[in-house]
Amino acid sequence: DAGVIQSPRHEVTEMGQEVTLRCKPISGHNSLFWYRQTMMRGLELLIYFNNNVPIDDSGMPEDRFSAKMPNASFSTLKIQPSEPRDSAVYFCASSSLDRGNQPQHFGDGTRLSIL
Amino acid sequence: EDKVVQSPLSLVVHEGDTVTLNCSYEVTNFRSLLWYKQEKKAPTFLFMLTSSGIEKKSGRLSSILDKKELFSILNITATQTGDSAVYLCAVPGETSYDKVIFGPGTSLSVIP
């Protein structure tokens, strides 16, 4: 059973460039979450989707960040333009609301470095 | 405002020791509390607790919830170096089960 799949695993780019992170949730899960993790701020929820619809994006730091979920098996998190302070590990997680209180399953993350 | 607090924030013990990690929370409309273990990569799920006083156990790890006092503990007995990790406590927030609030984590280091 494949888990949550994220790509790329690592991304190093110069500030000002557009960055796109990708996520494939576990098949059958209808909720998807994007998190950012840094040493200073810990794990922060950026945005989450239920049935492909964005429910709460209050965690998105600013307009440079955007997320989409065009179908049940794919989501992207885009940063344009990127800044050095965006450097962090970005996690995608999925869960199934239909089965009641189910834990979130995390992908391995994308380690993003903005130079 | 919903929040999750963990203590200690870091801990160093020797192999064979027993450790107790603490998590306290303030949330409206409590539903459940989750424990995760994070090593070098993503958090992995350990326990979900919904009822007070019922211990969840998995090998050397166990956890219990006190809904009256709003806290949970995670115990690890006979620690091993492989237990070294950050242990995260998380609670669904007010608006929806999905909006899970994570604590800062306890960084546990087990030395031989």
Side-chain angles (χ1 to χ4, degrees), chain A residues 60-85:
Chain A
M60 298 284 261
E62 46 196 277
D63 292 345
R64 297 183 297 106
F65 285 70
S66 63
K68 293 182 180 179
M69 191 165 185
N71 57 62
S73 60
F74 183 67
S75 177
T76 59
L77 177 68
K78 187 173 293 186
I79 309 172
Q80 167 65 17
S82 58
E83 297 182 3
R85 60 190 167 128

Short mmCIF file of all heavy atoms in Angstrom, two decimals, chain A residues 60-85:
data_model
loop_
_atom_site.label_atom_id
_atom_site.label_comp_id
_atom_site.label_asym_id
_atom_site.label_seq_id
_atom_site.Cartn_x
_atom_site.Cartn_y
_atom_site.Cartn_z
N MET A 60 -1.48 29.91 5.32
CA MET A 60 -0.61 30.31 4.21
C MET A 60 0.02 31.66 4.54
O MET A 60 -0.70 32.64 4.78
CB MET A 60 -1.41 30.40 2.91
CG MET A 60 -2.00 29.07 2.50
SD MET A 60 -0.79 27.96 1.81
CE MET A 60 -1.11 28.23 0.06
N PRO A 61 1.35 31.72 4.54
CA PRO A 61 2.01 32.92 5.07
C PRO A 61 1.70 34.20 4.30
O PRO A 61 1.56 35.24 4.90
CB PRO A 61 3.50 32.57 5.03
CG PRO A 61 3.62 31.35 4.20
CD PRO A 61 2.32 30.68 4.16
N GLU A 62 1.61 34.15 3.01
CA GLU A 62 1.35 35.37 2.23
C GLU A 62 0.97 34.98 0.81
O GLU A 62 0.92 33.81 0.46
CB GLU A 62 2.57 36.28 2.24
CG GLU A 62 3.88 35.58 1.97
CD GLU A 62 5.07 36.43 2.39
OE1 GLU A 62 5.49 37.29 1.60
OE2 GLU A 62 5.59 36.21 3.50
N ASP A 63 0.68 36.01 0.02
CA ASP A 63 0.16 35.77 -1.33
C ASP A 63 1.15 35.06 -2.23
O ASP A 63 0.76 34.57 -3.30
CB ASP A 63 -0.27 37.09 -1.97
CG ASP A 63 -1.48 37.68 -1.29
OD1 ASP A 63 -2.14 36.93 -0.52
OD2 ASP A 63 -1.76 38.86 -1.48
N ARG A 64 2.39 34.99 -1.86
CA ARG A 64 3.36 34.30 -2.70
C ARG A 64 3.12 32.78 -2.70
O ARG A 64 3.62 32.07 -3.54
CB ARG A 64 4.78 34.58 -2.20
CG ARG A 64 5.19 36.04 -2.28
CD ARG A 64 6.65 36.23 -1.83
NE ARG A 64 6.87 35.86 -0.45
CZ ARG A 64 7.50 34.74 -0.06
NH1 ARG A 64 7.96 33.89 -0.97
NH2 ARG A 64 7.66 34.47 1.22
N PHE A 65 2.34 32.33 -1.72
CA PHE A 65 2.04 30.90 -1.59
C PHE A 65 0.65 30.62 -2.17
O PHE A 65 -0.31 31.34 -1.89
CB PHE A 65 2.06 30.48 -0.12
CG PHE A 65 3.42 30.37 0.48
CD1 PHE A 65 4.20 31.49 0.71
CD2 PHE A 65 3.94 29.13 0.84
CE1 PHE A 65 5.46 31.39 1.27
CE2 PHE A 65 5.20 29.02 1.40
CZ PHE A 65 5.96 30.15 1.63
N SER A 66 0.57 29.54 -2.94
CA SER A 66 -0.74 29.10 -3.43
C SER A 66 -0.76 27.58 -3.51
O SER A 66 0.28 26.96 -3.69
CB SER A 66 -1.04 29.71 -4.81
OG SER A 66 -0.09 29.27 -5.76
N ALA A 67 -1.92 27.00 -3.34
CA ALA A 67 -2.07 25.55 -3.41
C ALA A 67 -3.29 25.20 -4.22
O ALA A 67 -4.30 25.90 -4.19
CB ALA A 67 -2.17 24.95 -2.01
N LYS A 68 -3.18 24.08 -4.94
CA LYS A 68 -4.29 23.60 -5.74
C LYS A 68 -4.44 22.10 -5.56
O LYS A 68 -3.48 21.40 -5.23
CB LYS A 68 -4.04 23.90 -7.23
CG LYS A 68 -4.04 25.36 -7.58
CD LYS A 68 -3.83 25.55 -9.08
CE LYS A 68 -3.84 27.04 -9.45
NZ LYS A 68 -3.61 27.25 -10.90
N MET A 69 -5.65 21.64 -5.79
CA MET A 69 -5.90 20.20 -5.78
C MET A 69 -6.88 19.92 -6.92
O MET A 69 -8.10 19.89 -6.71
CB MET A 69 -6.46 19.73 -4.44
CG MET A 69 -6.47 18.22 -4.32
SD MET A 69 -6.70 17.69 -2.62
CE MET A 69 -6.50 15.92 -2.84
N PRO A 70 -6.37 19.74 -8.11
CA PRO A 70 -7.24 19.59 -9.28
C PRO A 70 -8.04 18.29 -9.30
O PRO A 70 -9.09 18.23 -9.95
CB PRO A 70 -6.26 19.65 -10.45
CG PRO A 70 -4.94 19.26 -9.88
CD PRO A 70 -4.95 19.74 -8.47
N ASN A 71 -7.54 17.27 -8.59
CA ASN A 71 -8.28 16.01 -8.50
C ASN A 71 -7.90 15.30 -7.21
O ASN A 71 -7.01 15.77 -6.48
CB ASN A 71 -8.02 15.12 -9.73
CG ASN A 71 -6.55 14.83 -9.92
OD1 ASN A 71 -5.92 14.21 -9.06
ND2 ASN A 71 -5.98 15.27 -11.04
N ALA A 72 -8.54 14.18 -6.96
CA ALA A 72 -8.37 13.50 -5.67
C ALA A 72 -6.99 12.89 -5.48
O ALA A 72 -6.65 12.46 -4.38
CB ALA A 72 -9.43 12.42 -5.52
N SER A 73 -6.20 12.84 -6.52
CA SER A 73 -4.92 12.13 -6.41
C SER A 73 -3.71 13.04 -6.60
O SER A 73 -2.59 12.57 -6.76
CB SER A 73 -4.86 10.99 -7.42
OG SER A 73 -5.00 11.48 -8.73
N PHE A 74 -3.92 14.35 -6.57
CA PHE A 74 -2.79 15.22 -6.85
C PHE A 74 -3.01 16.62 -6.27
O PHE A 74 -4.11 17.18 -6.37
CB PHE A 74 -2.58 15.33 -8.37
CG PHE A 74 -1.40 16.15 -8.77
CD1 PHE A 74 -0.11 15.72 -8.48
CD2 PHE A 74 -1.55 17.35 -9.44
CE1 PHE A 74 1.00 16.47 -8.86
CE2 PHE A 74 -0.45 18.11 -9.82
CZ PHE A 74 0.83 17.67 -9.53
N SER A 75 -1.95 17.15 -5.68
CA SER A 75 -2.00 18.52 -5.18
C SER A 75 -0.64 19.18 -5.38
O SER A 75 0.39 18.51 -5.41
CB SER A 75 -2.37 18.55 -3.70
OG SER A 75 -2.34 19.88 -3.19
N THR A 76 -0.65 20.50 -5.54
CA THR A 76 0.59 21.26 -5.65
C THR A 76 0.59 22.41 -4.67
O THR A 76 -0.46 22.97 -4.34
CB THR A 76 0.78 21.83 -7.07
OG1 THR A 76 -0.33 22.68 -7.38
CG2 THR A 76 0.90 20.74 -8.11
N LEU A 77 1.78 22.75 -4.22
CA LEU A 77 2.01 23.95 -3.41
C LEU A 77 3.05 24.77 -4.16
O LEU A 77 4.13 24.27 -4.45
CB LEU A 77 2.51 23.59 -2.02
CG LEU A 77 2.86 24.76 -1.10
CD1 LEU A 77 1.60 25.53 -0.71
CD2 LEU A 77 3.58 24.27 0.16
N LYS A 78 2.70 25.99 -4.49
CA LYS A 78 3.57 26.82 -5.31
C LYS A 78 4.00 28.06 -4.53
O LYS A 78 3.19 28.68 -3.81
CB LYS A 78 2.84 27.23 -6.59
CG LYS A 78 3.69 27.96 -7.61
CD LYS A 78 2.93 28.19 -8.91
CE LYS A 78 2.65 26.90 -9.63
NZ LYS A 78 2.03 27.10 -10.95
N ILE A 79 5.25 28.43 -4.69
CA ILE A 79 5.79 29.65 -4.09
C ILE A 79 6.38 30.50 -5.22
O ILE A 79 7.26 30.05 -5.94
CB ILE A 79 6.89 29.36 -3.04
CG1 ILE A 79 6.42 28.32 -2.02
CG2 ILE A 79 7.29 30.65 -2.32
CD1 ILE A 79 7.52 27.84 -1.08
N GLN A 80 5.85 31.68 -5.37
CA GLN A 80 6.30 32.56 -6.45
C GLN A 80 6.12 34.02 -6.03
O GLN A 80 4.97 34.44 -5.84
CB GLN A 80 5.53 32.26 -7.74
CG GLN A 80 5.67 33.29 -8.84
CD GLN A 80 7.08 33.42 -9.39
OE1 GLN A 80 7.91 32.55 -9.18
NE2 GLN A 80 7.35 34.52 -10.05
N PRO A 81 7.16 34.80 -5.93
CA PRO A 81 8.57 34.41 -6.01
C PRO A 81 9.07 33.87 -4.67
O PRO A 81 8.58 34.27 -3.62
CB PRO A 81 9.27 35.74 -6.33
CG PRO A 81 8.41 36.76 -5.64
CD PRO A 81 6.99 36.24 -5.74
N SER A 82 10.03 32.98 -4.70
CA SER A 82 10.55 32.40 -3.47
C SER A 82 11.54 33.35 -2.80
O SER A 82 12.18 34.18 -3.46
CB SER A 82 11.23 31.05 -3.77
OG SER A 82 12.27 31.23 -4.72
N GLU A 83 11.64 33.20 -1.47
CA GLU A 83 12.55 34.00 -0.65
C GLU A 83 13.33 33.08 0.27
O GLU A 83 12.84 31.99 0.60
CB GLU A 83 11.78 35.04 0.16
CG GLU A 83 11.03 36.05 -0.69
CD GLU A 83 10.30 37.09 0.14
OE1 GLU A 83 10.43 37.07 1.39
OE2 GLU A 83 9.62 37.95 -0.45
N PRO A 84 14.52 33.50 0.71
CA PRO A 84 15.30 32.64 1.61
C PRO A 84 14.54 32.20 2.86
O PRO A 84 14.73 31.07 3.33
CB PRO A 84 16.50 33.54 1.97
CG PRO A 84 16.67 34.41 0.76
CD PRO A 84 15.27 34.70 0.29
N ARG A 85 13.67 33.03 3.38
CA ARG A 85 12.93 32.64 4.59
C ARG A 85 11.90 31.55 4.33
O ARG A 85 11.29 31.04 5.28
CB ARG A 85 12.23 33.86 5.20
CG ARG A 85 11.23 34.54 4.28
CD ARG A 85 10.78 35.86 4.87
NE ARG A 85 10.06 36.67 3.90
CZ ARG A 85 8.86 37.20 4.13
NH1 ARG A 85 8.28 37.03 5.29
NH2 ARG A 85 8.26 37.93 3.20
#
